[in-house]
Amino acid sequence: ECNHKDGENCQRVDDNNEVPQQQLDCTPQERVAQLQAFLVHVLLRRALHCRLMGNLAGAGEDLLEVLELEPTNGLALFWSGKVLLEQNRIAEAPRFLQASIEHHEETQMAAHALLGASMMSWPCPNCQTALHHLKEAARLCPSSPAVRITLCICSAAVDLQRQPRDPQAALGFLNRALASLTGKVANSARGSHKLGDQGRSARSSQTARSQTMTQQGHVAGSGIAAASALSCLGKSPEEIRWSSTKAVVHRRRLLAQGDDLDLALECKTFLHLVTHDSRQQAAEVPLLLHILRTVSFCELGRWEEAVAECRSALALSPDDEGIQYVMHIASGILRAQTSEFEAAVGYFTRAIRGRPASIEARLHRAIALACVAWSKDSETARYPGLGAVQEASLGSQLLRDAVQDLEAVEQMALIAGVGVPVGAWHLRAACLCSLRQPADAWEVLQECARRGFRDSRDMEGECGRLPIWAGDIDPRVRQKALEAETLVQLGKHRGAVDACTALIAFGSVGQVEGHMMRGCCLNRLGESESAREDYKKALHLAPDRADVHEASGNLFLHLRCLDEAIAAFDNAAKLNKSFAPRLAYKRALAQLAMGDTSGAQKDLGHALRMNPAMVGAAWARDGLGAIQSVLEGNYRHALVRLNRLVHAPAPTLMACERLPPLFLPHEFMVYRGMCSLYLGDAADAIQDFQTSLELAQKSVAIQASGLTKEVAESPASRVCEQRRKERRSPKRHAEQSMPSKSLRTRGAGQQTPRKSDSKSSIATQEWQQYLPPEVSSQESFAVFECEVLYNIALCHLVANDHRAALLVCERLLHKDGILKSLGPRSQCLVWFLIGICHMAASDMQNEQARHAFMQSYSFDPTHVDDFLRRHKRKSEAPTSLQAEAAAHAKTGRVGGPAAALRPLGGCPSRPAVVHVPHRQAQETCNASQEAICCLRQDPALLSARLPPCRLQILGAVFWARPTVRWPFIRPPSLATPTSFTRLDLLPASRGTHKGANPSALPSKGAKS
């Protein structure tokens, strides 16, 4: 017997199977409807019981049977969608939830909220539709914290999904949601959903009971909490056990009688209800919130916070490859910003291992590899005018790896059907320029001009958010900068000038570098004044940049504007707040070019104190010390120094500083021969002068082996060599290939101003500027040979070997073309020495001596007049020799009309101190300064500062100096600045990797 609440007894079927009268009065249709309603109720109740016991498959089958009986049962539709979500069948659940909204009013809010949360968890989230459902849920139940928090998260996702993205607004929504979750746990942990006034009678008690439970507590409550509460009342353990068991049984009875809706919807956010992972269900903050914060921080460039959010997300989903990928990308960018490029390469490599087809990761790694390569040379990172990375170095291999990554980016973009970012083309061109492959770099730039700018406007998806470069530089500006650098390496300086002009016309970044690069190209084209103006404009635009002042000093030193060069180096040192050894060495070169040997020695000493390992500076200091001893008259001390330098190995280009060495071996032999001459050791002096000639001939090969590595093997020389092989005639090619013709093939650039690239090889011209004139061309070597032969003749005269001196002078006489290029004074001196030699061989009436003196007088009367003046009485009329020489000069048979006769006489106002070989005492030179014998009367030569030697032949005295040059000063290389096209990736400019691709971030957990 079953008692109902109203006290009436149920009618039972008796043993004779008698049916109650009420049922006999029903029609068959009503009986079927009653049976169907009963089955629906029973199946729905059994489905809920199966769900409570964890049998989700059985619950789903019962719910499907209910829907077969009653397809419009809204409650069954809702629970079917809820069970599907719990089974992680997210794609199937929305259809049931959408249908339940139409057929069941009480679950409309819950259905809208679950629909929005599930749409946010799809692999390709539909955040806009999800936002619509969540707003509708908030309208139906505005007091639900879970709905409000979920709505904030969805609004943030919409802000990050739309174009353009608004990460700041998204972060504001996410911070609000995070504050609600972590700051109001007690309020947000409770289920406060109001499903309507038509709820069942058990809902009020169920809500009250739910308020005493934690979010993730067991259905029977917390045993520990119950035990603690009961123990406070002083009950015995048996009473506590009995009370707990009674409470569990009572709760299960209530769950069986109720619909379990409030307990099923009890959550902090509805995102907890659509996830399948237990760790994510128990988490205080949903996984999607961490992911969206990561996206926002990546968009804002806050990489450290992005990494922290990735770690929080990995704590909830440790196997999520997408989160791991983003954390590696963000960690790599964070390392790159702190100049830890090698560590950044490691992080990007891990990201590539996780996603081998990731365009973004390969681009980031290519940038990091390029940064590692360019930062290997610390001097290149600090000063942009020092050339590219050496081909055989580790940096070269890193650049090749970067090029491979960029080629893979192009292939993957082609497969994916997306455009290649403009920055990828530009980075690849810059790497190829550093690898001295300008032809390949030019092809890349041309391809970028054809496709890159078009693709950059059409890029969608992953490729559209890839890093372009550091900063927000207009790609057209960088295109022109790279074109200029590539054209310089190709030897097309005129095209490089046009590219720099276009770059400057943009008026954007790179104005200083554009002027410097254009000035360098103009200087190579021979337009020195225009180049100087460009460098001055660069100084005006960037007066506080030390590298600009230093590059300007290099140009001024190259143009022999020595005062300006020294001022530029001083300004660079002031801006650097330290006088670097490099700057001290360059200023020493400028000081020496001005003839200030003491100032040059001081600067070289400073450079060596700052960097004792500068072998070239020590070499230059010792050589200048020897010259200073010569100028002071301490020839013996100078000879000792020169002996040590002659036997020491000559330094090549100082690779660490890219500074040209001072003094060549043949120059030391000339200086040592000069010291031996003044010391009276004629034999040693002759031997040294002859050796200097041989070394000068070999210097071409020596310099080729040393400079080819630094200059001639540059990309320009390679390309120009290839162009020469393709364009020059076979005869010219044969002459260029013969070693015996090597001097002749290198002669044009030194003597002839460079007017255009088509007239001479750019690589050869650049190579020649590193060589002294005597070894750069056949004509210059012939001049040097005349100077050495003259010095040898003086040595023979000092040794009183007049016949040998005569033979040497006759050799000089055969070089008529060279003597003519030196001027009539040189021809006059050679004939005068021949006359002296003939005079010493016989007497004053020798016809050959008379003829030689007449020839000398015909070119210039200086030496003959001074010689006769000092050996005749002033009152005596001109001798017959003078008259005959004057008449001979009027005929114009040799050298044309002589110069007007000028009165020469009297000693100089300040008598010069002279050195007389074989004598300790010093005598005063009574000859005119113009009449002192010297093959080249050039005040810029070292000879002008040497004392004259007194030579006596048959009672006649004349004065002579050896012809000696200052050491050749090689100007520093005017390399094109690369800071605009490359060095903005180095630590000087932060923000190298601008923005990771948020589309690469997972929208949810690993499996959702």
Side-chain angles (χ1 to χ4, degrees):
E1 183 177 352
C2 180
N3 294 326
H4 288 275
K5 295 181 180 179
D6 53 3
E8 296 181 356
N9 296 331
C10 294
Q11 297 181 356
R12 296 183 302 171
V13 180
D14 55 10
D15 296 338
N16 297 326
N17 296 327
E18 296 179 359
V19 181
Q21 187 63 34
Q22 293 86 346
Q23 297 184 12
L24 293 176
D25 296 338
C26 296
T27 63
Q29 292 79 9
E30 291 178 349
R31 294 178 181 178
V32 171
Q34 292 177 0
L35 181 60
Q36 183 176 352
F38 174 76
L39 290 176
V40 167
H41 179 74
V42 170
L43 289 173
L44 184 60
R45 181 62 53 194
R46 189 174 74 172
L48 297 179
H49 275 268
C50 290
R51 175 185 170 274
L52 287 175
M53 292 185 294
N55 185 9
L56 297 178
E61 292 176 359
D62 288 341
L63 290 171
L64 289 178
E65 291 182 8
V66 170
L67 293 175
E68 289 179 0
L69 296 173
E70 187 178 349
T72 60
N73 191 313
L75 189 61
L77 288 170
F78 173 80
W79 280 112
S80 297
K82 182 68 173 64
V83 169
L84 288 174
L85 289 176
E86 293 174 355
Q87 289 179 309
N88 200 28
R89 297 162 65 180
I90 302 179
E92 304 174 35
R95 292 178 297 175
F96 293 93
L97 294 174
Q98 189 70 41
S100 71
I101 294 174
E102 300 175 0
H103 300 288
H104 197 257
E105 183 180 356
E106 295 180 4
T107 59
Q108 283 184 354
M109 185 277 295
H112 279 296
L114 289 175
L115 269 173
S118 63
M119 290 181 179
M120 292 168 61
S121 303
W122 289 351
C124 295
N126 188 356
C127 297
Q128 198 66 42
T129 306
L131 182 64
H132 168 73
H133 284 291
L134 288 171
K135 285 182 177 180
E136 187 66 21
R139 184 187 65 82
L140 295 174
C141 186
S143 61
S144 173
V147 174
R148 291 198 304 270
I149 295 173
T150 309
L151 179 61
C152 287
I153 297 174
C154 185
S155 300
V158 170
D159 287 334
L160 292 176
Q161 196 178 50
R162 67 164 60 103
Q163 296 296 334
R165 300 180 180 181
D166 190 356
Q168 197 64 47
L171 194 59
F173 282 115
L174 295 173
N175 289 338
R176 190 185 312 168
L178 187 62
S180 299
L181 290 171
T182 58
K184 300 179 181 180
V185 178
N187 296 331
S188 60
R190 276 62 174 174
S192 58
H193 313 294
K194 304 299 181 182
L195 302 181
D197 297 332
Q198 299 82 6
R200 302 179 185 274
S201 61
R203 184 174 302 123
S204 59
S205 60
Q206 183 72 19
T207 303
R209 287 190 298 270
S210 66
Q211 293 178 354
T212 63
M213 297 172 54
T214 60
Q215 175 194 358
Q216 298 298 332
H218 192 269
V219 293
S222 173
I224 298 176
S228 300
L230 293 177
S231 63
C232 296
L233 300 178
K235 295 183 178 182
S236 64
E238 291 77 9
E239 292 176 336
I240 294 174
R241 188 181 306 110
W242 171 252
S243 300
S244 300
T245 303
K246 184 178 179 181
V248 169
V249 171
H250 182 67
R251 181 167 179 77
R252 288 181 177 177
R253 182 185 301 172
L254 292 176
L255 290 175
Q257 293 177 358
D259 58 6
D260 195 33
L261 188 59
D262 287 336
L263 184 63
L265 298 179
E266 192 173 307
C267 61
K268 282 189 173 183
T269 68
F270 279 89
L271 294 171
H272 289 91
L273 300 181
V274 298
T275 183
H276 185 64
D277 190 272
S278 60
R279 279 174 296 193
Q280 299 178 25
Q281 292 175 353
E284 185 178 15
V285 179
L287 176 64
L288 184 60
L289 190 145
H290 290 298
I291 292 175
L292 293 176
R293 281 173 62 87
T294 302
V295 175
S296 301
F297 288 137
C298 289
E299 282 288 321
L300 295 173
R302 297 160 62 175
W303 304 109
E304 189 171 0
E305 295 169 280
V307 172
E309 288 296 330
C310 285
R311 289 173 180 166
S312 300
L314 285 175
L316 301 179
S317 181
D319 298 329
D320 195 317
E321 295 181 356
I323 300 176
Q324 292 175 357
Y325 167 83
V326 175
M327 189 179 72
H328 292 323
I329 291 290
S331 300
I333 296 175
L334 189 62
R335 293 286 187 175
Q337 288 185 341
T338 57
S339 305
E340 301 176 29
F341 298 116
E342 296 182 4
V345 171
Y347 281 112
F348 295 139
T349 303
R350 295 177 194 173
I352 292 174
R353 289 173 184 170
R355 292 188 179 182
S358 171
I359 298 177
E360 180 183 30
R362 290 192 179 274
L363 258 184
H364 280 302
R365 188 172 72 171
I367 295 175
L369 287 169
C371 289
V372 173
W374 290 327
S375 62
K376 285 297 180 182
D377 189 350
S378 59
E379 194 61 34
T380 302
R382 179 177 54 179
Y383 173 60
L386 297 180
V389 181
Q390 293 297 314
E391 186 172 0
S393 64
L394 174 62
S396 159
Q397 182 60 46
L398 293 173
L399 287 175
R400 283 193 285 269
D401 294 341
V403 171
Q404 290 180 0
D405 275 339
L406 294 170
E407 291 174 350
V409 165
E410 182 181 355
Q411 295 175 1
M412 289 186 291
L414 183 63
I415 294 174
V418 296
V420 180
V422 179
W425 300 100
H426 289 169
L427 180 60
R428 185 177 167 193
C431 293
L432 291 172
C433 284
S434 294
L435 289 172
R436 299 189 173 110
Q437 299 176 14
D440 297 336
W442 182 253
E443 292 181 3
V444 171
L445 291 174
Q446 295 304 304
E447 187 68 18
C448 175
R450 288 192 298 267
R451 295 170 45 190
F453 295 106
R454 180 185 70 251
D455 293 342
S456 65
R457 294 190 297 267
D458 301 332
M459 283 188 295
E460 298 290 343
E462 180 180 4
C463 212
R465 297 300 302 172
L466 291 177
I468 300 299
W469 266 122
D472 296 323
I473 299 177
D474 189 343
R476 297 174 299 171
V477 176
R478 192 177 297 281
Q479 174 83 7
K480 290 300 180 182
L482 283 167
E483 285 180 0
E485 183 180 354
T486 305
L487 289 170
V488 168
Q489 294 191 14
L490 288 171
K492 301 178 180 179
H493 294 89
R494 184 59 62 187
V497 169
D498 297 337
C500 291
T501 303
L503 169 66
I504 296 172
F506 280 113
S508 180
V509 296
Q511 296 293 303
V512 176
E513 287 78 8
H515 282 292
M516 291 172 63
M517 185 178 290
R518 188 172 68 176
C520 182
C521 296
L522 290 172
N523 180 70
R524 294 181 181 179
L525 291 171
E527 302 177 19
S528 302
E529 289 301 323
S530 300
R532 187 175 177 181
E533 291 298 324
D534 270 326
Y535 272 85
K536 286 187 175 181
K537 289 180 182 177
L539 284 173
H540 177 72
L541 292 173
D544 55 343
R545 281 181 53 177
D547 60 326
V548 178
H549 284 278
E550 187 173 354
S552 302
N554 293 339
L555 177 70
F556 297 148
L557 183 58
H558 185 83
L559 299 178
R560 289 298 186 265
C561 301
L562 303 177
D563 291 330
E564 295 180 78
I566 293 175
F569 294 142
D570 289 340
N571 291 333
K574 290 178 182 178
L575 292 172
N576 283 331
K577 298 182 180 180
S578 64
F579 197 35
R582 181 188 68 258
L583 294 174
Y585 186 88
K586 291 180 180 179
R587 195 174 74 168
L589 295 181
Q591 300 271 18
L592 180 59
M594 296 178 65
D596 186 4
T597 55
S598 60
Q601 280 187 294
K602 184 178 179 181
D603 286 338
L604 290 173
H606 175 80
L608 284 173
R609 286 193 300 271
M610 298 293 292
N611 184 10
M614 289 183 68
V615 181
W619 172 277
R621 182 197 59 183
D622 294 341
L624 285 181
I627 293 178
Q628 186 66 28
S629 298
V630 170
L631 295 178
E632 294 173 356
N634 194 350
Y635 304 105
R636 184 68 61 184
H637 187 263
L639 187 63
V640 172
R641 286 195 172 190
L642 292 170
N643 282 333
R644 184 170 60 85
L645 291 171
V646 164
H647 293 90
T652 57
L653 283 176
M654 289 172 275
C656 61
E657 299 283 345
R658 299 292 175 85
L659 299 175
L662 194 62
F663 294 108
L664 294 177
H666 74 278
E667 293 176 332
F668 279 141
M669 298 307 298
V670 171
Y671 299 144
R672 193 172 74 168
M674 173 186 63
C675 293
S676 299
L677 172 63
Y678 278 99
L679 291 173
D681 299 332
D684 292 343
I686 292 172
Q687 184 178 0
D688 286 340
F689 286 134
Q690 290 176 345
T691 305
S692 67
L693 273 179
E694 297 175 1
L695 290 176
Q697 291 177 339
K698 295 179 181 179
S699 290
V700 177
I702 295 175
Q703 294 302 317
S705 62
L707 291 176
T708 299
K709 296 178 182 179
E710 303 292 338
V711 179
E713 285 186 357
S714 63
S717 65
R718 291 182 178 180
V719 175
C720 293
E721 179 65 24
Q722 184 178 1
R723 291 165 57 193
R724 285 198 300 268
K725 290 181 180 180
E726 295 175 354
R727 299 178 184 178
R728 68 188 176 193
S729 63
K731 180 179 179 181
R732 180 179 177 87
H733 176 73
E735 291 178 355
Q736 294 269 356
S737 303
M738 292 176 61
S740 61
K741 304 285 187 178
S742 59
L743 289 175
R744 186 177 296 115
T745 58
R746 296 178 176 88
Q750 188 67 25
Q751 299 295 329
T752 305
R754 293 172 290 176
K755 295 183 179 180
S756 63
D757 293 345
S758 60
K759 293 185 178 180
S760 60
S761 171
I762 298 298
T764 302
Q765 293 173 359
E766 294 178 2
W767 182 75
Q768 285 175 346
Q769 70 179 354
Y770 286 91
L771 298 176
E774 58 266 22
V775 297
S776 63
S777 66
Q778 185 65 32
E779 293 79 4
S780 299
F781 177 76
V783 173
F784 175 71
E785 184 180 10
C786 290
E787 296 173 0
V788 173
L789 290 177
Y790 163 75
N791 294 337
I792 292 175
L794 286 186
C795 294
H796 286 302
L797 290 175
V798 169
N800 293 322
D801 189 354
H802 307 109
R803 189 171 300 277
L806 180 60
L807 293 176
V808 174
C809 291
E810 289 177 350
R811 286 181 59 186
L812 278 172
L813 198 59
H814 291 311
K815 299 182 180 295
D816 182 64
I818 302 300
L819 292 176
K820 187 179 296 185
S821 65
L822 294 177
R825 296 286 297 273
S826 299
Q827 296 172 294
C828 166
L829 177 60
V830 172
W831 280 108
F832 180 75
L833 292 179
I834 291 175
I836 292 294
C837 293
H838 282 298
M839 183 182 68
S842 57
D843 53 13
M844 287 292 293
Q845 302 300 323
N846 187 288
E847 291 298 328
Q848 293 179 342
R850 184 183 296 274
H851 174 73
F853 285 130
M854 287 191 299
Q855 293 288 344
S856 175
Y857 196 89
S858 65
F859 287 105
D860 194 296
T862 301
H863 294 289
V864 175
D865 286 345
D866 181 78
F867 180 78
L868 294 176
R869 176 189 61 80
R870 289 186 292 104
H871 295 87
K872 293 291 184 179
R873 294 190 302 272
K874 294 183 179 181
S875 59
E876 185 177 356
T879 61
S880 60
L881 180 61
Q882 279 182 301
E884 292 179 8
H888 181 75
K890 291 180 180 180
T891 60
R893 290 176 293 178
V894 179
L901 187 62
R902 295 180 289 113
L904 297 175
C907 296
S909 58
R910 292 184 180 181
V913 178
V914 300
H915 179 80
V916 182
H918 305 292
R919 295 186 182 182
Q920 296 297 329
Q922 293 181 343
E923 298 184 8
T924 301
C925 175
N926 59 353
S928 172
Q929 290 293 330
E930 296 179 351
I932 296 176
C933 296
C934 190
L935 187 64
R936 296 181 62 184
Q937 296 285 349
D938 188 352
L941 295 179
L942 180 60
S943 305
R945 300 180 61 176
L946 296 176
C949 294
R950 181 179 183 275
L951 301 178
Q952 185 173 358
I953 300 175
L954 299 177
V957 176
F958 68 98
W959 306 86
R961 291 192 185 98
T963 300
V964 183
R965 307 181 184 186
W966 286 100
F968 176 72
I969 300 174
R970 306 184 194 183
S973 175
L974 290 178
T976 54
T978 59
S979 61
F980 178 63
T981 56
R982 303 178 204 166
L983 295 187
D984 47 6
L985 294 176
L986 292 176
S989 296
R990 301 300 182 189
T992 297
H993 307 256
K994 187 192 176 187
N997 180 10
S999 64
L1001 291 163
S1003 60
K1004 191 69 176 63
K1007 297 182 180 180
S1008 63

